[in-house]
Amino acid sequence: DQQVKQNSPSLSVQEGRISILNCDYTNSMFDYFLWYKKYPAEGPTFLISISSIKDKNEDGRFTVFLNKSAKHLSLHIVPSQPGDSAVYFCAASEYNFNKFYFGSGTKLNVKP
Amino acid sequence: DVKVTQSSRYLVKRTGEKVFLECVQDMDHENMFWYRQDPGLGLRLIYFSYDVKMKEKGDIPEGYSVSREKKERFSLILESASTNQTSMYLCASSLTSGHNQPQHFGDGTRLSIL
């Protein structure tokens, strides 16, 4: 049973607007959460992370929000750019463990 | 920057062959991982290692083995390749356990078993 789920396989957004990618998890022991971005024919690239002691982490155009009570995290990209078009994976791990559980990915298409 | 290098980008092998996928990292990371990526399933962990000669099974180890003789190198072995092992294989590395550290990935090997 998947412990990390991304229920939207794809998302299409107009350039300049906000992209919101969602991720749900089931394991309440998860303590560290990450988002990766993956272009075709390349490996995933680390984008942004958040630990469970925070509910928000921001890095430029990218913000990750964590709602522990709902076991939900989201990635906001503002403003979206065509170069953001990629597959985005969320991942989670328990404290002090280096084993990550990945979601199935959401393919983001930012239209010019 | 961390560099994780996978020896082949594309590989075509035949059913029953023994297949080796090689991965090297240059940042003295202790942890190394092998995943496979399939459509709709995301990344699934096959094996990982947090020290030389140490290995741990991931979620889908059946049909695979690994070798870590040197800290920088982690090899994935398909003992007798089968068509259901056609997939994208991704190697990753990270710093020591005990810290919240992201994993750094190679560019992947797209393996086709005919």
Side-chain angles (χ1 to χ4, degrees):
Chain A
D1 193 27
Q2 274 195 297
Q3 298 190 51
V4 177
K5 293 180 182 178
Q6 294 175 256
N7 291 318
S8 298
S10 63
L11 175 68
S12 190
V13 168
Q14 204 66 39
E15 181 179 5
R17 307 295 289 267
I18 184 171
S19 295
I20 300 177
L21 295 97
N22 294 303
C23 180
D24 297 297
Y25 62 95
T26 57
N27 187 344
S28 58
M29 299 300 292
F30 285 153
D31 179 79
Y32 181 55
F33 305 87
L34 309 90
W35 284 94
Y36 283 87
K37 174 173 158 179
K38 185 181 184 300
Y39 292 119
E42 292 184 13
T45 304
F46 169 67
L47 196 55
I48 191 169
S49 65
I50 188 167
S51 73
S52 61
I53 60 172
K54 291 183 162 186
D55 53 20
K56 176 183 172 182
N57 189 26
E58 213 169 330
D59 183 2
R61 296 185 297 114
F62 301 91
T63 304
V64 56
F65 294 92
L66 176 62
N67 182 333
K68 289 186 287 293
S69 60
K71 295 192 181 70
H72 177 84
L73 69 154
S74 61
L75 174 69
H76 292 210
I77 306 173
V78 184
S80 302
Q81 299 173 354
D84 296 329
S85 297
V87 177
Y88 290 79
F89 292 98
C90 66
S93 74
E94 296 182 30
Y95 178 70
N96 270 356
F97 280 74
N98 223 266
K99 180 180 176 182
F100 287 94
Y101 295 86
F102 284 82
S104 54
T106 296
K107 185 174 184 178
L108 174 66
N109 179 32
V110 180
K111 295 178 285 189
Chain B
D1 268 1
V2 177
K3 184 71 176 172
V4 179
T5 303
Q6 293 183 232
S7 54
S8 304
R9 294 298 299 272
Y10 301 94
L11 211 51
V12 180
K13 296 290 182 181
R14 297 215 169 267
T15 305
E17 278 192 71
K18 191 168 186 175
V19 181
F20 293 85
L21 302 183
E22 307 286 346
C23 175
V24 176
Q25 50 94 3
D26 66 356
M27 282 301 291
D28 205 34
H29 282 176
E30 295 189 1
N31 304 319
M32 295 188 76
F33 307 82
W34 275 105
Y35 293 88
R36 61 179 282 178
Q37 182 197 355
D38 300 288
L41 297 176
L43 277 67
R44 293 182 292 165
L45 182 64
I46 304 171
Y47 267 97
F48 63 104
S49 165
Y50 37 79
D51 204 351
V52 175
K53 297 193 188 294
M54 301 293 290
K55 60 185 179 184
E56 291 280 341
K57 291 180 180 179
D59 299 315
I60 51 164
E62 296 79 19
Y64 303 95
S65 62
V66 289
S67 172
R68 192 158 180 211
E69 297 296 319
K70 293 184 178 181
K71 191 174 185 179
E72 68 271 17
R73 187 179 295 271
F74 192 35
S75 303
L76 179 70
I77 303 154
L78 286 66
E79 297 290 345
S80 177
S82 63
T83 54
N84 63 10
Q85 292 178 308
T86 291
S87 186
M88 168 70 87
Y89 289 87
L90 291 160
C91 175
S93 72
S94 68
L95 213 43
T96 59
S97 299
H99 303 272
N100 284 333
Q101 293 285 336
Q103 295 179 358
H104 300 269
F105 285 85
D107 284 337
T109 296
R110 184 162 291 284
L111 175 65
S112 297
I113 307 295
L114 304 178

